[in-house]
Amino acid sequence: MRTHALIAATLGLSLALPVAAQEADERPTPNSVVEGATADEWEAISANDLMVMRLADDAEGNRREVVIQLMPKPFSQGWVDNIRLLAETNFWDGTTVYRVVDNWVTQWGDGEDDKAKAKPLPEGIKVVPESEYVVGDQPEDDHCGYHVCPANRQIKLSEFRTIEPYGTGAISKGWPVAVSGNQVWPTHCYASVGVARDLTPNTGTGAELYTVIGHAPRQLDRNIAVVGRVIEGIEHLSTLPRGKGGAGVYADDMERVPVQWVRMAGDLSEDAHPKFEYLATDSASFTEYVRVRANRSDGFYQVAAGGVDICNVQVPIRRIKAAE
Amino acid sequence: MRTHALIAATLGLSLALPVAAQEADERPTPNSVVEGATADEWEAISANDLMVMRLADDAEGNRREVVIQLMPKPFSQGWVDNIRLLAETNFWDGTTVYRVVDNWVTQWGDGEDDKAKAKPLPEGIKVVPESEYVVGDQPEDDHCGYHVCPANRQIKLSEFRTIEPYGTGAISKGWPVAVSGNQVWPTHCYASVGVARDLTPNTGTGAELYTVIGHAPRQLDRNIAVVGRVIEGIEHLSTLPRGKGGAGVYADDMERVPVQWVRMAGDLSEDAHPKFEYLATDSASFTEYVRVRANRSDGFYQVAAGGVDICNVQVPIRRIKAAE
């Protein structure tokens, strides 16, 4: 017999609660809170922050497209600028996904070991200092800047309790971040996109990127630039065969998955241009969504945790339906 | 150019450090500590705790075998007993992997929705009460029972700081657990194996199992029985196509992956019988391994976290090589 209720426990926002569970229990779930949010609680994501990566079709001829949302100011902006430039100059066209490590990352780019053969970077690529991994010196009265909002817009940090060495979890304008003293930095969570690099003090350019396909590697926070997250098509990267070469690089170059092209969404034709919105993280529904996530009490849960890991607070994001 | 150092940051124990990184930096890494452990610090895993699941070959004809280590006493023993009985009576032979949800779980078993058609369970399957999700009433002086060990064998809980609502992380005889007051329970981490079930107060039998293929869903702790972990072959479950039916169940039954058989390792012939060992979690090398994981300072890391999430402390496990 298939057990329904682990199914009901699924947190993926695209998955409706099974009818049986809805009938059995009317207590709110994260999904039901998101479904009940009003239209004005959703905010459109700018085309300037969306990047689309088209991989070669899969073996059955199915299209594989990955949509990445880039981080907003003030986080990692040096690398984000480089990434926009790389997309606008078609740098990634003809590169590959060349490394996949289970419970770690999927990585793509030129992937050429020999510097003499490496694909040249476009002019204007910046070298970004390590200091930009963190945003510091935040004025203490900037209460609604990006980690603490006042009164009715407040997201209580206590509801995002997280591992102290990794900082206190918070949500800033739709993004998970960590806060410690007057410093704030973006966190590595599942589907986060980061900038691969050489040993310190190298910080990477943005030309080689990875996404997290396992448990949040929070030890990388403040050591690598987080520049965005995959918001659609993560399965095209997370289901790829794991690499059997050194460090999970594909042993045979034939295993590499061709990247046909990467474009900023605004540079695609109108019909190919994906549009998304996210549940505003200063909305009443988002606050309720976090409260319910931290205190699951629907028919599946017997014990509520009373808190939630910052990487288990996925910000609700959905496609904007085309007008009829 | 391929960037070497994100590669160097890979924590998978099967991956050696790249030569370049080794030459550049002799500071210890989790891998180097494990490689330096002495033979007597490794403990064999009993065949009575190992279960092997053979899936149908993949499209290229490659064998797919998954090895699961079952949890030791005192955790989840009612379900573990059921699981041994199910394996010994060949219950899973001819069942399927029927549900795969990205960043959540891969689930297998009979997968039959209609109770009238469900595969009958063997005689002797127990109904396990919810109270067994947690091990409570531990004597306060049982300091080396399974969460705090004295003096030179001590694993400092402070090095496993974790999210308070999810309990304090600790390691018990090779397993990640959470501790709160006098209660201890096994944690949901990547590759954990748990018992799918219906709504509370149903606790599941063990006939339908899942493994975690994403960020640790710690909210399930104390709500579902964790019974073990995948120690080899997780990629055969984590790379499967995600289900597109309701709640990630495969929409078309043809997509289901046949389970050819599941057996306890001791019931396999000697040459098919996998043998593993783990780095004893009361060994000096394990303590050093945790310290290094919590304080990464090799050539890749600029900022050490000073702590580590319990689900990022993967206990080192390796195959025992056959005698020459």
Side-chain angles (χ1 to χ4, degrees), chain A residues 18-62:
Chain A
V19 172
Q22 286 175 327
E23 287 171 354
D25 195 320
E26 293 298 329
R27 284 170 289 184
T29 65
N31 285 357
S32 72
V33 172
V34 172
E35 286 160 13
T38 58
D40 64 354
E41 290 184 308
W42 292 87
E43 291 193 13
I45 297 173
S46 165
N48 195 37
D49 293 336
L50 290 179
M51 191 164 78
V52 181
M53 175 163 69
R54 172 77 64 85
L55 303 178
D57 291 351
D58 71 14
E60 283 80 41
N62 298 303

Side-chain angles (χ1 to χ4, degrees), chain B residues 163-179:
Chain B
I163 305 148
E164 282 306 309
Y166 298 152
T168 301
I171 297 280
S172 162
K173 296 178 181 168
W175 293 83
V177 297
V179 181

